[in-house]
C-alpha cells in the first residue's frame, strides 16, 4: 500500500456519509452531536480536498451527485470497518468470517483433517475452509495456501512454524498378501518381497537399504505419484507399502509387514505466512489445527 497517497480525513468522510444518509446538514449534526456549522465546515473541506461536487440541493434536502454516490459506497465500507475495529477493541466482536486455504499431503487431507475440520466448522461456521491435497510443497510466500502441514522443517524466515509431533511410518501389507508371501521375519525374506513404490522412489530404496534390506527397482513392479493410490494398492493386496503409523494401524485390512524393523521417523510441522500475526481468522485456524493435531499425536 502507498501510505503517502492516503490523505483522507475520517472525520470529514464521516460527516459526509451521515449527511448523505440523513438528507440534511441539520439532521446529520444532531446524529453526530455536533454543531451544524462545524459539520458543514467538515463537508465543505472534503469537497474542496477532492475537487468533486458531492451534493446538490433539492428543495430543503440534499441529494447526492453521481460522484457523491460513488464516494458514499467507499466511505460506508470504511464506516463498517471502523465499527468492526471498535467492536474488536472492546472485546465485543462475536464472529470471524472468511476463507482459509489449508494444504496438506493427500493422506493427511483424506485421513487426518476431516474430523478436525468438522469440529472447527461446528465452532466457527463463518469460516470456509479450502483443502489443497497435494504431495508437493505449496509456496506460502506466493499465497498458494494460508496454512500448510508439512514434514520437512521450514527454513524460510518469512514463515511461522510450529512443530506438531515426531511421527513414524511402517511397512504395511494386506492379510492376503502376507499369507502369499510367507514369513517376512528377516531382511533377506523382505528383500524378496514385492513393494508398491512412489514415482520418485530412490529415497525409499535408500532408506530400506540402510536398514539392511537389499531391495532395488526390481522389487517395485508398481509405482504411483499418488499416496492415496499407493495406499489403496496396498489395501487391495498388490504389495507392501510405507504409511504413517496413525493411518496404517487404524486400517483393519492391513497389518505391519515387518514389525521387527525400525520405523521411519519424520517430523510434522504446521506452517503459515507471517500474515498470521495480523489475521485473526488465520490465527484462529492455525491455533485450532495446532491443538487438535498435537492432541491427536499425543494420544497415539
Amino acid at each position: 500500500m502507498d501510505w503517502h497517497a492516503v490523505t483522507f480525513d475520517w472525520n470529514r468522510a464521516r460527516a459526509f456519509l451521515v449527511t448523505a444518509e440523513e438528507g440534511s446538514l441539520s439532521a446529520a449534526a444532531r446524529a453526530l452531536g455536533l454543531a451544524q456549522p462545524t459539520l458543514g465546515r467538515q463537508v465543505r473541506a472534503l469537497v474542496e480536498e477532492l475537487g468533486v461536487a458531492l451534493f446538490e440541493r433539492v428543495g430543503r434536502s440534499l441529494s447526492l451527485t453521481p460522484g457523491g454516490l460513488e464516494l458514499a459506497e467507499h466511505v460506508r465500507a470504511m464506516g463498517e470497518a471502523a465499527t468492526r475495529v471498535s467492536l474488536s477493541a472492546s472485546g465485543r466482536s462475536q464472529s470471524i468470517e472468511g476463507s482459509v486455504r489449508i494444504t496438506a499431503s493427500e493422506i493427511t487431507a483424506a485421513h487426518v483433517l476431516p474430523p478436525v475440520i468438522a469440529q472447527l466448522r461446528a465452532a466457527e461456521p463463518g469460516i470456509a475452509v479450502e483443502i489443497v491435497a497435494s504431495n508437493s510443497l505449496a509456496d506460502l510466500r506466493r499465497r498458494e495456501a494460508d496454512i500448510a502441514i508439512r514434514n520437512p522443517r521450514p527454513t524460510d524466515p518469512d514463515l511461522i512454524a510450529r512443530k506438531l509431533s515426531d511421527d513414524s511410518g511402517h511397512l504395511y501389507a494386506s492379510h492376503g498378501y502376507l499369507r502369499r508371501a510367507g514369513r517376512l521375519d528377516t531382511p533377506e525374506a523382505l528383500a524378496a518381497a514385492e513393494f508398491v513404490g512412489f514415482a520418485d522412489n530412490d529415497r525409499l530404496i535408500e532408506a530400506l537399504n540402510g536398514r539392511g534390506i537389499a531391495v532395488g527397482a526390481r522389487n517395485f513392479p508398481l509405482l504411483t505419484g499418488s499416496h492415496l493410490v499407493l495406499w489403496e494398492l496396498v489395501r487391495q493386496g498388490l504389495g507392501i507399502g510405507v504409511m504413517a503409523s496413525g493411518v496404517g494401524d487404524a486400517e483393519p485390512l492391513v497389518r505391519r509387514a515387518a514389525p521387527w524393523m525400525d520405523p521411519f521417523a519424520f517430523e510434522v510441522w504446521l506452517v503459515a505466512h507471517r500474515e498470521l500475526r495480523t489475521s485473526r481468522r488465520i490465527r484462529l485456524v492455525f491455533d485450532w489445527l495446532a491443538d487438535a493435531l498435537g492432541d491427536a499425536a499425543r494420544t497415539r
Side-chain angles (χ1 to χ4, degrees), residues 160-182:
I160 296 172
R162 183 183 301 180
K163 185 178 178 181
L164 295 176
S165 65
D166 290 302
D167 213 333
S168 65
H170 293 271
L171 295 176
Y172 292 90
S174 71
H175 303 293
Y177 177 85
L178 292 173
R179 283 194 297 271
R180 295 194 305 272

Side-chain angles (χ1 to χ4, degrees), residues 77-89:
M78 291 173 62
E80 292 170 353
T83 299
R84 289 194 295 271
V85 169
S86 178
L87 288 172
S88 178

Side-chain angles (χ1 to χ4, degrees), residues 197-209 215-217 220 223:
F198 304 106
D200 181 6
N201 213 34
D202 291 343
R203 289 179 59 189
L204 179 57
I205 291 175
E206 291 173 3
L208 290 169
N209 291 166
V215 297
F220 291 85
L223 300 174

Side-chain angles (χ1 to χ4, degrees), residues 73-191:
E73 292 182 12
H74 297 300
V75 177
R76 187 170 290 110
M78 291 173 62
E80 292 170 353
T83 299
R84 289 194 295 271
V85 169
S86 178
L87 288 172
S88 178
S90 64
R92 290 183 288 125
S93 180
Q94 297 298 315
S95 64
I96 301 177
E97 297 183 351
S99 177
V100 176
R101 180 182 293 180
I102 303 168
T103 183
S105 71
E106 291 178 322
I107 293 297
T108 299
H111 291 272
V112 179
L113 281 181
V116 176
I117 299 304
Q119 294 170 0
L120 170 65
R121 290 277 302 129
E124 298 290 344
I127 294 180
V129 178
E130 178 182 354
I131 298 177
V132 181
S134 174
N135 299 319
S136 61
L137 297 180
D139 191 335
L140 298 183
R141 295 188 67 179
R142 291 206 302 265
R143 308 317 305 274
E144 294 174 352
D146 299 305
I147 298 172
I149 301 169
R150 294 177 170 175
N151 296 131
R153 181 172 187 165
T155 58
D156 191 326
D158 284 335
L159 301 180
I160 296 172
R162 183 183 301 180
K163 185 178 178 181
L164 295 176
S165 65
D166 290 302
D167 213 333
S168 65
H170 293 271
L171 295 176
Y172 292 90
S174 71
H175 303 293
Y177 177 85
L178 292 173
R179 283 194 297 271
R180 295 194 305 272
R183 295 173 64 88
L184 299 177
D185 53 0
T186 66
E188 293 74 21
L190 197 57

